[in-house]
Amino acid sequence: MGRELRRLSVELLFMHYRLLVPILALGLGVPLAVQGVFMMQGTEAATLHQTAQLLRQILPLFSVWCPAFALQNYVQGDSCELFRAYTVRRSRQWRLVAWCGLFYFTAETALFLWVCRHFTGRGAAFVLLVEWVWQLLSLLFMSGAVYFLSYTLHSSMTAMIVAALYHCFSAVISVLPSTFPGEIGFPLLSQKGMVVLGAAILLWMAGWFQDRRYSIKN
């Protein structure tokens, strides 16, 4: 287990400067945008609604960044088969995607704790808690989509673009199901939550299956 965690950590650090993109986005870009909402909105209720909407729009976009770049060496390029042979087990890359997701979710949690400090009352805290869990469901769905599409399309970069575009279009086109409900603070134990969770599980299972049988020559 310790050896595997070291491998996953090295894989994450191996992205070098590309790892700075989600770090700067969640550590600097999103907080500045949230501060702008705080300055523009007058009432706490309006601020809470706008902040939640902003986080829904931005956070899922950056959740696909690390998994896509982490999978790149295992999906495409001349060294693909060498990287896959090095990991011995062909089904190992789900751990890499999950490790990237854990890294991103930790950063998301820190961001939500920072946002929560700006609101008073248990009502606002509960709404943000619910939104935090919806973000987790969205992260599971988006990372599962990248995992599955990377092996299906033979390109993790294409998978990242497709997943990101789907998130953008689902926010404005009603016929595309979104990973978020229409209301802020919508109950988690709902049909919407179960559908998103079920879809995420199916994507991860399909990705695992594609990972096991994958060959760059397919």
Side-chain angles (χ1 to χ4, degrees):
M1 179 62 70
R3 182 178 179 182
E4 181 68 2
L5 289 177
R6 286 194 296 271
R7 180 185 79 88
L8 296 175
S9 300
V10 169
E11 292 278 5
L12 198 60
L13 294 174
F14 189 68
M15 286 190 281
H16 301 305
Y17 64 90
R18 288 169 293 193
L19 189 60
L20 292 175
V21 172
I23 293 176
L24 290 176
L26 270 66
L28 183 62
V30 176
L32 287 176
V34 171
Q35 285 285 7
V37 173
F38 292 157
M39 294 175 62
M40 293 174 59
Q41 300 296 330
T43 63
E44 182 170 298
T47 302
L48 178 62
H49 184 273
Q50 291 296 325
T51 300
Q53 289 287 6
L54 178 67
L55 296 178
R56 285 184 176 191
Q57 294 169 9
I58 297 178
L59 295 185
L61 288 175
F62 290 97
S63 67
V64 299
W65 183 270
C66 287
F69 280 101
L71 286 173
Q72 193 171 22
N73 289 324
Y74 296 94
V75 176
Q76 59 199 78
D78 298 333
S79 59
C80 170
E81 297 295 344
L82 179 63
F83 271 86
R84 292 180 64 80
Y86 172 73
T87 58
V88 184
R89 298 178 184 176
R90 287 186 173 269
S91 59
R92 263 180 142 178
Q93 305 325 315
W94 73 266
R95 302 178 185 178
L96 181 58
V97 179
W99 188 252
C100 292
L102 179 61
F103 165 76
Y104 191 76
F105 188 61
T106 302
E108 276 190 340
T109 301
L111 177 64
F112 265 83
L113 289 174
W114 175 79
V115 171
C116 193
R117 292 178 55 191
H118 292 78
F119 296 96
T120 59
R122 294 183 179 180
F126 177 76
V127 170
L128 288 173
L129 176 62
V130 173
E131 287 297 310
W132 174 71
V133 181
W134 275 110
Q135 288 286 348
L136 172 59
L137 292 178
S138 177
L139 173 60
L140 290 172
F141 177 87
M142 296 291 284
S143 56
V146 171
Y147 185 36
F148 168 67
L149 290 173
S150 293
Y151 291 105
T152 302
L153 302 176
H154 290 249
S155 172
S156 61
M157 296 296 100
T158 304
M160 177 180 68
I161 294 172
V162 170
L165 287 176
Y166 178 85
H167 170 70
C168 293
F169 286 128
S170 66
V172 295
I173 301 177
S174 58
V175 295
L176 292 177
S178 172
T179 55
F180 293 100
E183 303 173 20
I184 299 298
F186 193 78
L188 295 169
L189 297 177
S190 61
Q191 183 179 2
K192 179 72 174 183
M194 296 302 102
V195 168
V196 175
L197 179 60
I201 293 174
L202 287 177
L203 285 171
W204 278 86
M205 291 176 62
W208 177 83
F209 179 76
Q210 291 282 71
D211 189 0
R212 289 198 62 182
R213 61 187 294 272
Y214 184 74
S215 173
I216 197 171
K217 298 177 183 180
N218 286 344

